Amino acid sequence: MNQTIKIALIQQSCSADRNENQAKSILKIKEASKNGAKLVVLQELHSSLYFCQSEDTKKFDLGETIPGPSTELFGKVAKEMGVVLVLSLFEKRAKGLYHNTAAVIENDGSLAGIYRKMHIPDDPGFYEKFYFTPGDIGFKPVQTSLGKLGVLVCWDQWYPEAARIMALKGAELLIYPTAIGWDPKDSMDEKKRQLEAWITIQRSHAIANGIPLLAVNRVGLESDDSGSEILFWGNSFAAGAQGEFLAQAAHQEETVLYADLNLERTEEVRRIWPFLRDRRIDFYQDVANRYLER
Amino acid sequence: MNQTIKIALIQQSCSADRNENQAKSILKIKEASKNGAKLVVLQELHSSLYFCQSEDTKKFDLGETIPGPSTELFGKVAKEMGVVLVLSLFEKRAKGLYHNTAAVIENDGSLAGIYRKMHIPDDPGFYEKFYFTPGDIGFKPVQTSLGKLGVLVCWDQWYPEAARIMALKGAELLIYPTAIGWDPKDSMDEKKRQLEAWITIQRSHAIANGIPLLAVNRVGLESDDSGSEILFWGNSFAAGAQGEFLAQAAHQEETVLYADLNLERTEEVRRIWPFLRDRRIDFYQDVANRYLER
């Protein structure tokens, strides 16, 4: 494994035109590769608008199989540019059975592995429980030529358990493709609290586990026929093994964000902060309960 | 339960004189109470210097029983002022069996409950495994007239599992008495990363669980006969249920830090961020393992 890996996060806006979105992603992947990136991560559901603002059976037409058209298209790009790619797809697994799935493409164009989003949100404007069956393959890192990637998706980022299990399974890096934004009607104070919380909890996963973390979010205002609107807040970032910022994007601009990751630093950080040594696994079984007071 | 509770955090420096340290704490508790505080939290091992900078059997003389002299002394203050107090004591449980224990005193002076530190660090300058037997009563909140207090201690703050189990057992508030500081020989960059990580991971526990959090740290440079030195970094803070700062102390000054907590806000925050609803308890049993890759 290389000591230092240059990574790139593609923070982009999307339209209703799938081909246009994909062409834009590919252009940016190529740009990132030319700038030295060996790992490129795309945002959640990067080939479409964030279609979960309302519940509409017709939107299931956006689903695709894995392997399928996207892994083929982006597989060619990965192979041509020699980069490992993390995609985020609307997976059609069977008739009427869909997942929100990350696909990791090796730098030879092959499919290294997938992760099916485990935690599914459902809130006004984020009706994901209608579209996405919860993942059933658990929290398993994907082995690649660059290391073991702990790929999780969006809502998973609020759950320390997900990051922890990935780390215990040897993840050397946490990666979160995301689609999160503000309700334009919220107050400035509430918007600030939400953005800070989103950044803070992800940095905490890097800290708790002593591994770097990448979060990639979309930008742009997307309006739905239902009247719902989300202003995606960007702020894609890379954090090091102590949770420190390595790079951070702004909230409204399309960006190719770069960072240099040294995966060997985990050993050094875990020597001074040996959190894994002192875990009280004799008392942690309680974590696997819904609630314990009543 | 009151809608809003005024709390106070006593961030102080300590000397080798136990009486002086306790007199200072009591003065500040009384000041806090006069200013309206109903809950006052003291820092970790507030009656002494942080004695774990070296391993010395004579230092076990600092231990005391619970109930014992400190719960009696501070119990009188709690009753006189009508405040709930969180103490942090070096507990002598039996001959040669010691714990790092938080004691919660009810506002009538009685002992509401204790928490024995579960995660015990051991690093140069922090030789706690020599002094403190790991806690055996698990992560259980203490019921008080002000609500259920999820009291944890220092090194516990790096473990999301501890905060989560407290929340699942109904904790309405997380409280961390702490003694953490810089090695004066570290670089400014390293110091900044450490302080930020300490703040970030604690704010993340508030966020993940939708409950407020109090962290109380000591200040001052303490030198040990062994040549070890720690500059305790203060920065005591209160965070709300979205992890937002409610109050934050500076890094070198003794401070009585105040904040108003509205414990009812947890319901509101958990409605917009229903993290507890979507936990994948069917996959979390893996958390109770040391490591899962090999």
Side-chain angles (χ1 to χ4, degrees):
Chain A
M1 187 186 310
N2 290 324
Q3 283 280 99
T4 297
I5 301 167
K6 189 165 199 171
I7 63 89
L9 311 180
I10 311 294
Q11 170 175 302
Q12 66 177 87
S13 61
C14 288
S15 72
D17 184 335
R18 183 179 185 83
N19 292 335
E20 183 181 273
N21 296 329
Q22 292 184 331
K24 191 196 282 184
S25 297
I26 290 169
L27 203 69
K28 287 168 187 280
I29 293 167
K30 291 186 174 176
E31 173 189 326
S33 170
K34 283 174 193 152
N35 287 324
K38 298 298 177 195
L39 170 66
V40 183
V41 185
L42 302 185
Q43 68 205 24
E44 189 181 16
L45 301 169
H46 45 78
S47 292
S48 66
L49 294 169
Y50 178 73
F51 54 83
C52 310
Q53 290 199 59
S54 60
E55 301 192 356
D56 179 353
T57 53
K58 285 196 291 297
K59 290 179 179 169
F60 285 101
D61 290 343
L62 293 167
E64 59 174 310
T65 58
I66 299 174
S70 282
T71 55
E72 191 176 337
L73 175 66
F74 286 98
K76 282 181 190 152
V77 179
K79 184 176 181 180
E80 179 190 343
M81 307 309 289
V83 294
V84 173
L85 286 180
V86 179
L87 311 178
S88 170
L89 307 174
F90 184 21
E91 180 190 6
K92 179 172 186 165
R93 188 174 179 184
K95 289 185 176 70
L97 180 63
Y98 293 78
H99 293 283
N100 184 326
T101 302
V104 180
I105 311 290
E106 189 44 274
N107 59 18
D108 63 1
S110 65
L111 180 63
I114 63 168
Y115 165 77
R116 292 193 177 113
K117 188 173 183 175
M118 290 285 284
H119 300 95
I120 309 295
D122 198 280
D123 304 284
F126 295 85
Y127 297 103
E128 295 199 14
K129 287 193 196 294
F130 178 74
Y131 293 104
F132 308 130
T133 304
D136 59 345
I137 52 179
F139 306 102
K140 287 189 191 156
V142 175
Q143 181 72 59
T144 72
S145 58
L146 299 175
K148 273 191 142 175
L149 309 185
V151 180
L152 294 157
V153 178
C154 204
W155 195 236
D156 293 320
Q157 63 214 173
W158 301 99
Y159 295 86
E161 294 92 342
R164 179 68 94 198
I165 295 171
M166 282 292 189
L168 295 181
K169 290 191 177 162
E172 298 174 274
L173 177 60
L174 294 167
I175 298 176
Y176 294 84
T178 296
I180 192 168
W182 291 300
D183 179 340
K185 293 186 295 295
D186 272 338
S187 69
M188 284 302 290
D189 279 354
E190 177 63 22
K191 286 176 181 168
K192 180 169 177 290
R193 283 194 297 270
Q194 292 185 6
L195 174 60
E196 273 197 31
W198 177 78
I199 291 169
T200 300
I201 200 158
Q202 290 183 90
R203 293 176 71 192
S204 84
H205 304 326
I207 297 163
N209 298 293
I211 50 180
L213 180 147
L214 309 175
V216 194
N217 189 28
R218 66 174 63 205
V219 286
L221 181 70
E222 298 188 15
S223 304
D224 186 82
D225 292 343
S226 66
S228 170
E229 275 190 338
I230 302 174
L231 180 59
F232 291 95
W233 69 42
N235 272 281
S236 300
F237 69 94
Q242 290 176 300
E244 76 279 16
F245 283 114
L246 301 177
Q248 188 176 19
H251 77 282
Q252 280 177 314
E253 287 157 31
E254 295 198 324
T255 309
V256 180
L257 188 72
Y258 298 95
D260 291 313
L261 302 186
N262 176 359
L263 299 187
E264 297 307 312
R265 194 160 156 263
T266 289
E267 174 66 26
E268 186 185 324
V269 169
R270 287 184 181 166
R271 285 187 192 190
I272 63 160
W273 286 347
F275 305 143
L276 294 188
R277 181 192 65 189
D278 295 332
R279 296 177 70 242
R280 291 300 303 271
I281 58 172
D282 49 340
F283 276 85
Y284 290 171
Q285 65 276 12
D286 278 351
V287 168
N289 286 277
R290 184 64 69 208
Y291 201 59
L292 290 157
E293 201 195 12
R294 65 179 73 94
Chain B
M1 189 186 313
N2 290 325
Q3 282 280 102
T4 298
I5 299 167
K6 189 165 200 170
I7 64 89
L9 311 180
I10 311 293
Q11 170 175 302
Q12 66 177 85
S13 63
C14 287
S15 73
D17 183 335
R18 184 181 185 81
N19 291 335
E20 182 181 274
N21 297 327
Q22 292 185 331
K24 192 196 280 184
S25 297
I26 290 170
L27 203 69
K28 287 168 187 278
I29 293 167
K30 290 185 175 178
E31 174 190 326
S33 170
K34 283 175 192 150
N35 286 325
K38 297 298 179 196
L39 170 67
V40 181
V41 185
L42 301 186
Q43 70 206 20
E44 189 182 16
L45 301 169
H46 45 80
S47 293
S48 67
L49 292 169
Y50 178 74
F51 55 82
C52 311
Q53 290 199 59
S54 61
E55 301 191 355
D56 180 352
T57 53
K58 285 195 291 298
K59 291 181 179 168
F60 285 101
D61 290 341
L62 293 167
E64 59 175 311
T65 58
I66 299 176
S70 282
T71 55
E72 190 176 340
L73 175 66
F74 287 97
K76 281 181 192 156
V77 178
K79 183 175 180 182
E80 180 191 342
M81 306 308 290
V83 293
V84 173
L85 286 180
V86 179
L87 311 177
S88 170
L89 306 174
F90 184 22
E91 180 191 6
K92 179 171 186 166
R93 189 175 178 184
K95 289 186 175 67
L97 181 62
Y98 293 78
H99 294 282
N100 184 325
T101 303
V104 181
I105 310 290
E106 188 46 275
N107 59 19
D108 62 1
S110 64
L111 181 63
I114 64 168
Y115 166 78
R116 292 195 177 111
K117 188 172 183 176
M118 291 285 286
H119 300 96
I120 309 294
D122 198 279
D123 304 285
F126 296 84
Y127 297 103
E128 296 200 13
K129 287 194 196 295
F130 177 74
Y131 294 103
F132 308 130
T133 304
D136 59 343
I137 51 178
F139 306 101
K140 286 189 190 155
V142 175
Q143 181 74 59
T144 72
S145 58
L146 300 174
K148 272 190 143 176
L149 309 186
V151 179
L152 295 157
V153 177
C154 203
W155 194 237
D156 293 322
Q157 65 214 171
W158 301 99
Y159 295 86
E161 295 92 342
R164 179 68 95 199
I165 295 172
M166 282 292 189
L168 296 181
K169 290 192 176 163
E172 299 173 274
L173 177 59
L174 294 167
I175 298 175
Y176 294 85
T178 296
I180 192 168
W182 291 299
D183 180 340
K185 294 187 293 294
D186 274 338
S187 70
M188 283 303 291
D189 279 356
E190 177 62 22
K191 287 177 182 168
K192 180 170 177 288
R193 284 194 296 270
Q194 291 186 6
L195 174 59
E196 272 197 31
W198 176 79
I199 291 170
T200 300
I201 200 158
Q202 291 184 89
R203 292 176 72 193
S204 85
H205 304 325
I207 297 163
N209 297 294
I211 50 180
L213 180 146
L214 308 175
V216 193
N217 189 27
R218 68 173 63 205
V219 287
L221 180 71
E222 296 187 15
S223 304
D224 186 81
D225 291 344
S226 67
S228 171
E229 276 191 337
I230 303 174
L231 180 58
F232 292 94
W233 68 44
N235 271 281
S236 301
F237 69 95
Q242 290 176 299
E244 75 279 15
F245 283 116
L246 300 178
Q248 189 176 17
H251 77 282
Q252 281 177 315
E253 288 158 30
E254 296 201 320
T255 309
V256 180
L257 189 72
Y258 297 95
D260 290 314
L261 301 186
N262 176 358
L263 299 185
E264 297 306 312
R265 194 161 155 261
T266 288
E267 173 67 27
E268 186 186 324
V269 169
R270 287 184 181 166
R271 286 187 191 188
I272 64 161
W273 285 348
F275 305 142
L276 295 189
R277 182 192 65 193
D278 295 333
R279 296 176 69 242
R280 291 301 303 271
I281 58 172
D282 50 339
F283 277 85
Y284 289 169
Q285 65 276 13
D286 278 350
V287 167
N289 286 278
R290 185 65 67 206
Y291 202 58
L292 289 157
E293 200 193 12
R294 67 180 72 94

